[in-house]
């Protein structure tokens, strides 16, 4: 976050103060007392600075958000596009069913570990260079998947492609925190998620038609062509958003032009007398430290991990439901994924509106006009109840082979509710860890991706033994047990937990 001087703070109105959100976990050292005491402090001008990402024009903010969103769409689509062609791929490369399933899910395993490195790296070297480098890495290995002539090469290339693709999970939250203010959090998240949410569900639809009409290799070649186009758009549109790096460059320019080496930034003061190895070690250990010692991260990661694993249970078994249980073709089974897409998109758009609406409403009632991250949590309760209860409805309509519309409507409403829960959780983490959002998102993402990797491994057997009805009843019960206490615990204790937590620095 950009720093502001003490004089500016003393003269600012409550509404102006809110423009620079402060997280209690991101303050390793105090800010210099005044500009007069430290005339060489390089900081953004207050209340407006054209170099400050928070002060960029709305059009420039949306350009950065949209190009990140489109990039996320392709990378997430690749995670599921090969699902309908697994049997064909297994036959061509002499793979067992377990090995073909591993080729699909190992991509998700990579997205668990990638953000642990990529998130902190973006807080050292900036968002821009990390995004471009990871895009090139993903492109190279996704092309390799299309040319794979052995199962070992396909599985290895899928893992490495997933590692590059995982940068979007770590960078998205950080970039949105860089350029959008808290009262715009819901809208920015809803617009950003609009396209990527389609990716996980559009993938099997496109893959199903490709599996029937051409070679499975075109799944990777086509997405690689799209990725190359997006790289060109990203290079021309995406500019650095990480405030400490922008200020560092400004300070370097001043030192170079004036010859005065006393110009410095607040972030540089924190790094003074520290070696590069020490800085990198602290940065790369940050996500794991947050996960190990910050209860807010731990509680959120458990709920989000379960929800993300649940999504991939549905994604990995939905086609089988329609083919084996309803006797439909591969192509038609893929079209049912539209219900999943519509549910997630509807949840993000509806929830995005209410996240901002209630935040502004509660903030207006505060005497000082400042609101806490916990104010977002009550919106989560309807999402939890609707999401898990309609998961139950989905299970029993599928079990009894009710007309397909009822099944699709049930899963649509279920995922709409669950998406609302995920959006509120993401907004809460961004607000709580504004100084190190990418590392915080990487910490929660680790648990999410591990669940997305592991849950589909046992879900076919679960449905085979319990059936769709009792299996989803079990998942519904677990979801309510985990989900319902979450907003209450953090509403009551979240502020004190964040206050007592060690600095994320």
């Amino acid at each position: 976050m950009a720093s502001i001087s003490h004089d500016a703070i003393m003269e600012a109105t409550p509404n102006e103060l809110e423009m620079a959100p402060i997280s209690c976990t991101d303050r390793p050292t105090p800010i210099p007392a005044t500009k007069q005491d430290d005339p060489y402090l390089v900081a953004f001008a207050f209340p407006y600075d054209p170099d400050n990402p928070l002060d960029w024009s709305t059009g420039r903010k949306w350009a950065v958000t949209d190009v990140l969103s489109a990039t996320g769409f392709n990378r997430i689509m690749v995670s599921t596009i090969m699902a309908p062609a697994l049997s064909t791929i297994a036959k061509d490369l002499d793979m067992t069913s377990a090995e073909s399933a591993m080729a699909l899910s190992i991509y998700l395993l990579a997205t668990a570990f990638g953000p642990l490195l990529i998130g902190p790296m973006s807080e050292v070297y900036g968002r821009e260079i990390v995004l471009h480098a990871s895009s090139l890495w993903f492109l190279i290995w996704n092309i390799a998947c299309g040319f794979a002539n052995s199962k070992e090469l396909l599985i290895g290339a899928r893992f490495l492609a997933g590692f590059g693709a995982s940068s979007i999970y770590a960078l998205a939250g950080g970039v949105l925190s860089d350029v959008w203010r808290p009262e715009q959090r819901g809208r920015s998240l809803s617009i950003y998620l609009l396209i990527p949410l389609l990716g996980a569900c559009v993938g099997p639809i496109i893959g199903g038609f490709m599996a029937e009409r051409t070679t499975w290799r075109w799944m990777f070649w086509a997405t690689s062509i799209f990725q190359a186009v997006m790289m060109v758009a990203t290079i021309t549109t995406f500019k650095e958003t990480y405030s400490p790096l922008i200020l560092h460059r400004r300070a370097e320019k001043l030192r170079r032009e004036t010859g005065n080496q006393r110009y410095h930034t607040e972030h540089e003061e924190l790094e003074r007398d520290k070696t590069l190895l020490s800085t990198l070690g602290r940065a790369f250990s940050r996500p794991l430290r947050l996960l190990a010692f910050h209860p807010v991260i731990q509680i959120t990661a458990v709920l989000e991990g379960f929800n993300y694993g649940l999504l991939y249970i549905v994604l990995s078994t939905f086609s089988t439901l329609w083919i084996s249980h309803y006797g439909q073709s591969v192509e038609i089974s893929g079209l049912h994924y539209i219900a999943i897409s519509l549910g997630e998109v509807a949840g993000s758009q509806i929830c995005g509106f209410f996240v901002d609406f209630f935040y502004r409403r509660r903030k207006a009632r505060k005497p000082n006009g400042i609101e806490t991250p916990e104010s977002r949590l009550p919106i989560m309760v309807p999402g939890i109840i609707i999401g898990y209860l309609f998961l139950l409805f989905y299970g029993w309509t599928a079990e009894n082979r009710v007309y397909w519309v009822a099944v699709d409507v049930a899963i649509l409403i279920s995922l709409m509710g669950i998406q609302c829960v995920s959006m509120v959780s993401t907004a809460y983490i961004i607000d709580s860890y504004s100084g190190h959002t990418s590392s915080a998102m990487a910490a929660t993402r680790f648990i999410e991706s591990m669940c997305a990797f592991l849950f589909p491994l046992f879900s076919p057997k679960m449905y085979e033994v319990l059936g769709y009805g009792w299996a989803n009843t079990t998942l519904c019960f677990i979801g309510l047990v985990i989900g319902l206490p979450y907003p209450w615990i953090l509403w009551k204790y979240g502020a004190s937990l964040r206050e007592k937590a060690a600095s994320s620095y």
Side-chain angles (χ1 to χ4, degrees):
M1 295 300 298
S3 61
I4 59 177
S5 71
H6 180 268
D7 287 345
I9 293 175
M10 296 303 293
E11 297 170 2
T13 65
N15 287 335
E16 287 173 331
L17 274 175
E18 199 279 331
M19 294 169 67
I22 297 172
S23 170
C24 64
T25 58
D26 297 325
R27 286 185 154 186
T29 60
I31 297 173
T34 66
K35 224 19 192 170
Q36 287 72 28
D37 291 340
D38 191 356
Y40 298 103
L41 176 66
V42 178
F44 289 128
F46 188 83
Y48 173 80
D49 191 316
D51 291 335
N52 185 351
L54 289 171
D55 293 330
W56 285 354
S57 67
T58 302
R60 187 177 181 186
K61 291 182 179 184
W62 282 125
V64 168
T65 302
D66 290 345
V67 76
L68 202 66
S69 179
T71 300
F73 167 79
N74 192 44
R75 299 188 188 190
I76 294 172
M77 180 173 64
V78 171
S79 71
T80 58
I81 195 171
M82 64 183 289
L86 286 181
S87 58
T88 304
I89 295 173
K91 183 178 179 181
D92 286 355
L93 300 182
D94 193 27
M95 305 171 77
T96 65
S97 58
E99 288 170 336
S100 64
M102 177 62 70
L104 174 68
S105 58
I106 200 168
Y107 186 94
L108 294 169
L109 182 63
T111 65
F113 291 97
L116 296 179
L117 294 176
I118 295 172
M121 194 177 296
S122 75
E123 294 168 350
V124 175
Y125 298 106
R127 322 290 193 197
E128 187 178 13
I129 185 65
V130 171
L131 178 61
H132 296 333
S134 65
S135 294
L136 179 61
W137 179 275
F138 167 71
L139 176 63
I140 292 171
W141 290 108
N142 197 53
I143 293 174
C145 289
F147 287 100
N149 55 12
S150 68
K151 58 187 178 183
E152 293 83 5
L153 178 56
L154 178 62
I155 293 174
R158 279 283 286 177
F159 178 84
L160 293 171
F163 192 90
S166 69
S167 67
I168 200 67
Y169 300 112
L171 290 176
V175 172
L176 294 180
S177 176
D178 292 340
V179 302
W180 297 103
R181 302 186 188 281
E183 62 269 23
Q184 301 166 313
R185 189 78 67 225
R187 186 167 181 237
S188 62
L189 274 171
S190 66
I191 298 300
Y192 162 73
L193 289 170
L194 183 60
I195 302 178
L197 285 177
L198 296 174
C201 307
V202 168
I205 297 174
I206 297 175
F209 280 91
M210 283 187 171
E212 289 287 325
R213 287 174 164 74
T214 185
T215 173
W216 57 268
R217 297 180 186 277
W218 266 107
M219 297 178 184
F220 300 105
W221 294 337
T223 51
S224 295
I225 293 172
F226 183 77
Q227 176 62 26
V229 172
M230 284 311 307
M231 285 180 64
V232 175
T234 302
I235 291 171
T236 57
T237 304
F238 191 93
K239 303 303 177 184
E240 185 58 60
T241 66
Y242 190 50
S243 295
L245 181 60
I246 295 172
L247 290 172
H248 171 70
R249 291 172 178 172
R250 180 183 287 185
E252 278 194 329
K253 184 179 179 181
L254 285 170
R255 289 192 290 262
R256 186 173 59 253
E257 291 178 348
T258 65
N260 191 333
Q261 300 303 308
R262 287 181 290 179
Y263 284 106
H264 64 276
T265 69
E266 181 188 348
H267 189 264
E268 288 174 340
E269 283 300 298
L270 299 177
E271 300 297 331
R272 190 180 298 276
D273 300 327
K274 292 183 173 63
T275 64
L276 177 61
L277 186 62
S278 172
T279 299
L280 292 177
R282 188 173 58 258
F284 289 130
S285 66
R286 186 176 295 121
L288 293 179
R289 285 189 282 117
L290 290 173
L291 190 58
F293 301 115
H294 286 236
V296 167
I297 295 290
Q298 294 165 350
I299 297 170
T300 303
V302 169
L303 178 61
E304 284 301 284
F306 179 79
N307 285 341
Y308 207 63
L310 199 60
L311 171 63
Y312 272 84
I313 285 179
V314 175
L315 289 173
S316 64
T317 61
F318 210 49
S319 180
T320 303
L321 167 68
W322 299 110
I323 295 172
S324 302
H325 215 53
Y326 279 79
Q328 297 180 355
S329 67
V330 174
E331 288 181 345
I332 297 300
S333 72
L335 293 178
H336 288 282
Y337 282 86
I338 295 174
I340 297 176
S341 293
L342 290 177
E344 292 208 291
V345 169
S348 68
Q349 301 310 299
I350 295 171
C351 186
F353 169 79
F354 284 108
V355 163
D356 287 346
F357 175 78
F358 285 113
Y359 183 88
R360 288 193 296 264
R361 188 175 179 180
R362 286 184 56 84
K363 190 179 76 169
R365 293 177 178 176
K366 295 280 186 176
N368 58 3
I370 298 176
E371 191 52 272
T372 62
E374 285 72 30
S375 64
R376 308 210 186 260
L377 296 172
I379 311 171
M380 186 182 292
V381 176
I384 292 172
I385 296 172
I386 292 172
Y388 297 133
L389 290 184
F390 272 88
L391 179 69
L392 185 69
F393 186 55
Y394 157 64
W396 286 107
T397 52
E399 177 69 22
N400 293 287
R401 292 184 172 86
V402 178
Y403 188 54
W404 64 268
V405 172
V407 179
D408 279 352
V409 168
I411 199 61
L412 186 155
I413 297 176
S414 174
L415 291 179
M416 182 175 69
I418 291 174
Q419 179 57 36
C420 179
V421 176
S422 296
M423 269 198 67
V424 176
S425 297
T426 300
Y428 179 68
I429 291 298
I430 290 175
D431 287 352
S432 299
Y433 293 86
S434 57
H436 294 118
T437 303
S438 288
S439 290
M441 296 301 294
T444 57
R445 183 69 203 183
F446 178 76
I447 302 298
E448 290 178 24
S449 293
M450 289 302 295
C451 290
F453 169 70
L454 294 172
F455 279 28
L457 299 181
F458 68 76
S459 56
K461 190 66 175 179
M462 176 185 69
Y463 282 127
E464 179 185 335
V465 173
L466 298 177
Y468 286 94
W470 285 112
N472 279 23
T473 300
T474 303
L475 294 174
C476 170
F477 176 76
I478 296 173
L480 290 173
V481 169
I482 295 174
L484 284 177
Y486 174 90
W488 181 84
I489 291 173
L490 291 183
W491 177 266
K492 190 173 180 63
Y493 302 108
S496 61
L497 289 174
R498 288 187 293 109
E499 190 68 34
K500 293 177 182 176
S503 168
S504 63
Y505 179 73

